[in-house]
Amino acid sequence: MILANYIKDLLYRYDCVIVPNFGGFITNRMSASYNTNTSNFLPPFKQIAFNNNLKENDGLLANYIASVETISFEDANKAIATAVNNWNVNLQNKSLELEEVGVLSLNENQQIIFEPNTSVNYLAESFGLANVTISEIERQKTIVKPLVPVINTDNKKVLPTLLKYAATAAILLTLGYVGNNLYQQNKQNTILASQEKALEKKIQAATFTIANPLPTIELNVVKEVAKPYHIVAGAFQFPENANKKVNQLKKEGYQASIIGVNKWGLTEVVFSSFADRNDAINELYKIQDSVSKDAWLLVKK
């Protein structure tokens, strides 16, 4: 069994995949960007990171392996434990490459260093989108030669006379047009003034009385804000256990709730849900430090 194949399958659907007793692979959504060095437009993608503090079994990886391999949950956990043991042995001698996920190695302090694989985009929304390379546009300058007027020397005496007659005709036409416009404008202003006086008399003669004015009604409408970011406290096979967990968390001050049943039939309980991703991640770190290291972030849109 190649454990990396199941991890990369889950990275397409979840933001956190925990390998029990080893560490967790966390994804973070990155926006589209432009690389000025390579002249490439990059589509949105999921950036993968590794956290060796996330070691507690949340059941996600084991449930998925059990459903794919048609084995029991316990056998799936045993298979994961065997794979993790082999990983730890190999890391003592060389780097460990997880196909299409990344490369793991140990530093001088025996801490795991992770280098993600950037050739695979785990963001399902960007499926089929590739990098786009653009080429520089070369602009060519066009030289425009100035126009040279053609002068007819034979008509030097005729042109000044024609220009005089044309200028005189233009002045007469302009004066006639302006005089006609002034007459029409004065006529229109007179009609508008008489209409305004008649309307003013009607307004002065009219009275408006409201006997029983209606009271003002204020409506406070609260728009429900979507909260797609959930901090998972656990997934339970029996609903009554899930309800007990919710009541326990509420007594501890959390806005706990049941957000549904996952594809493996387990009832999911969350500490709380958030509308903003950053708020959810900050609260997740607090819960992992003080309450439960098994807590993880689930995104449901």
Side-chain angles (χ1 to χ4, degrees), residues 171-191:
I171 293 172
L172 292 175
L173 289 174
T174 303
L175 291 175
Y177 177 76
V178 172
N180 184 55
N181 281 350
L182 290 175
Y183 171 75
Q184 294 294 338
Q185 186 175 0
N186 290 334
K187 184 178 178 181
Q188 187 177 3
N189 291 339
T190 303
I191 295 172

